[in-house]
Amino acid sequence: MNLNILVLPGDGIGTEVTREAIRVLRHVTDKYHHSVKLTEGLLGGIAIHKTGSPFPPATVELAVKADATLLGAVGLPEFDEAPPEKRPERGLLGIRKAMGVFANLRPVRAYKSLLDSSPLKNDLVEGTDMIIVRELTGGIYYGTPRGISGQGPDTRAVNTMTYTRAEIERVTHMAFHLARGRKKKVTSVDKSNVLENSQLWRQVVVEVAREYPDVTLDHILVDNCAMQLILNPKRFDVVLTENMFGDILSDEAAVLAGSIGMLPSASIGERKSSGVWVGLYEPVHGSAPDIAGQNKANPLGAIMSVAAMLEYSFGLKKEAEAVGVAVEAVLATGRVTADLHPTGAPATTEQVGEAVCAGI
Ligand code: IPM
Ligand code: MG
């Protein structure tokens, strides 16, 4: 197979973890006799520095031409005070929207060898295996009107949480489809005791669920969900939620996996004109400027994002599994980065990438 991939390393530790993810990608595709064509593009803070824009038009063109896109992370502290359109994050939101990747899949697993890495009690965490399906191209992240206006004590800031029935339907279908290949349970998260937006969300989810009688559906309010993720994480299989709730809950759920550095993600959408599925793959963690450039960052979230790409964008299940098995083997040896609190000396980003390759 010929894999035509766009790589957007982005900012901070994005470049380091992407380097290891590519090392693993090259290794596994060599081994299984596929050829890979990589193109590199600019996104986020580095794109602002080089072109003045966090999401240059050239990057959109490259993303449209590629079969799949691998992203590192975006965000640099020097832009903390910049207006929204001049912030690196705008690049990330821009590419998600431009690619139309409406469903962000964030699997959260508690690996046996990492139980001690979580601050939570082992018996509580053990057996956790869920996937958060976060709506990614709608809701309050994109809704209008938005902005800050007025002056003095009358200064007003507005954001709008908006969803259409169609937007809720398509991501709900994705969640139910995934549940069929798992434990057949969908938990929809909303705030329907307060928000009209959530009332529509719940209504549409109930309607779509009728098409999947073999899948169990329950509903949970987002505040209670935040608590249940820690009290009883095993109750969750597929967690379906809107954009901002999903953003918040997935960082919380990362505690179950031992470190946010462990979490991969796959963002999937359908290219309108051709009906082809498109995918954007990125670790859930951010650019972590405090440890950038030190060869300390955990590359496993990025490496598992490559595994997700192989599976979802290219249908290469065996190859994806080979990466997953190698990652588990590396975890079992305890040669992991500092975020996972190894008992011995922490491994470097590069050493972890090399160890995964050696295990494939
Ligand atoms: C994430 C990140 C992004 C988001 C930021 C960097 C814009 O937190 O992917 O979870 O909020 O979606
Ligand atoms: Mg986030």
Side-chain angles (χ1 to χ4, degrees):
M1 195 170 202
N2 258 318
L3 285 63
N4 175 16
I5 296 167
L6 172 64
V7 184
L8 304 170
D11 307 319
I13 62 168
T15 50
E16 296 154 62
V17 298
T18 304
R19 195 177 303 130
E20 298 315 312
I22 295 297
R23 186 195 301 279
V24 170
L25 173 69
R26 286 204 184 279
H27 191 85
V28 71
T29 48
D30 263 9
K31 176 133 189 179
Y32 287 84
H33 311 295
H34 303 293
S35 74
V36 179
K37 182 175 160 260
L38 299 178
T39 311
E40 201 168 307
L42 296 170
L43 190 80
I46 185 174
I48 302 179
H49 282 309
K50 295 206 169 156
T51 73
S53 158
F55 183 37
T59 303
V60 190
E61 272 170 46
L62 292 174
V64 170
K65 280 196 219 129
D67 299 326
T69 299
L70 180 69
L71 183 81
V74 301
L76 289 175
E78 69 227 55
F79 296 107
D80 279 355
E81 308 303 322
E85 67 284 0
K86 285 279 174 209
R87 292 183 64 116
E89 289 78 5
R90 186 49 71 91
L92 182 55
L93 303 184
I95 195 167
R96 287 171 176 171
K97 193 77 171 177
M99 290 180 74
V101 286
F102 61 84
N104 180 223
L105 320 183
R106 299 186 158 184
V108 182
R109 270 184 62 189
Y111 289 98
K112 263 219 154 64
S113 40
L114 288 186
L115 291 179
D116 288 333
S117 300
S118 172
L120 302 169
K121 294 195 177 79
N122 288 8
D123 61 319
L124 216 140
V125 173
E126 189 166 12
T128 296
D129 183 3
M130 72 181 84
I131 183 162
I132 299 175
V133 178
R134 166 187 176 192
E135 200 292 327
L136 200 64
T137 51
I140 198 165
Y141 272 55
Y142 295 94
T144 51
R146 68 184 295 160
I148 303 180
S149 59
Q151 289 200 339
D154 294 325
T155 313
R156 248 172 88 82
V158 179
N159 288 97
T160 305
M161 185 187 268
T162 166
Y163 273 108
T164 63
R165 172 177 286 277
E167 284 174 319
I168 304 169
E169 277 174 358
R170 61 186 183 180
V171 71
T172 303
H173 279 292
M174 180 71 81
F176 276 86
H177 178 77
L178 282 169
R180 280 195 163 152
R182 300 174 48 97
K183 284 176 264 163
K184 298 193 166 53
K185 180 174 175 194
V186 171
T187 300
S188 172
V189 182
D190 64 40
K191 187 71 187 171
S192 59
N193 54 345
V194 178
L195 303 176
E196 284 80 357
N197 203 270
S198 284
Q199 285 156 14
L200 179 66
W201 181 276
R202 193 175 282 215
Q203 186 188 324
V204 174
V205 170
V206 167
E207 285 168 22
V208 171
R210 293 197 188 109
E211 295 175 43
Y212 303 82
D214 52 323
V215 178
T216 314
L217 167 68
D218 67 351
H219 305 273
I220 188 168
L221 296 174
V222 62
D223 46 354
N224 186 22
C225 182
M227 183 166 65
Q228 298 305 326
L229 274 175
I230 301 299
L231 286 180
N232 187 13
K234 277 172 279 218
R235 82 177 283 302
F236 296 104
D237 178 23
V238 176
V239 178
L240 165 64
T241 193
E242 69 88 41
N243 202 345
M244 185 170 64
F245 296 164
D247 176 48
I248 298 168
L249 295 175
S250 56
D251 270 35
E252 186 192 358
V255 176
L256 303 160
S259 156
I260 196 159
M262 290 302 298
L263 261 54
S265 91
S267 306
I268 311 283
E270 200 174 2
R271 200 163 278 166
K272 282 183 200 79
S273 49
S274 54
V276 169
W277 290 96
V278 292
L280 171 68
Y281 300 85
E282 46 171 319
V284 170
H285 64 71
S287 56
D290 52 324
I291 59 162
Q294 298 172 39
N295 204 11
K296 271 187 187 170
N298 185 349
L300 292 175
I303 289 170
M304 288 305 289
S305 298
V306 160
M309 172 188 280
L310 292 168
E311 179 170 351
Y312 295 128
S313 278
F314 300 106
L316 299 174
K317 284 213 159 66
K318 252 192 323 196
E319 291 78 346
E321 206 180 301
V323 174
V325 167
V327 165
E328 276 199 61
V330 170
L331 293 176
T333 66
R335 287 286 286 147
V336 293
T337 44
D339 54 315
L340 292 170
H341 308 292
T343 41
T348 63
T349 309
E350 192 178 341
Q351 284 166 343
V352 173
E354 286 169 352
V356 173
C357 290
I360 289 173

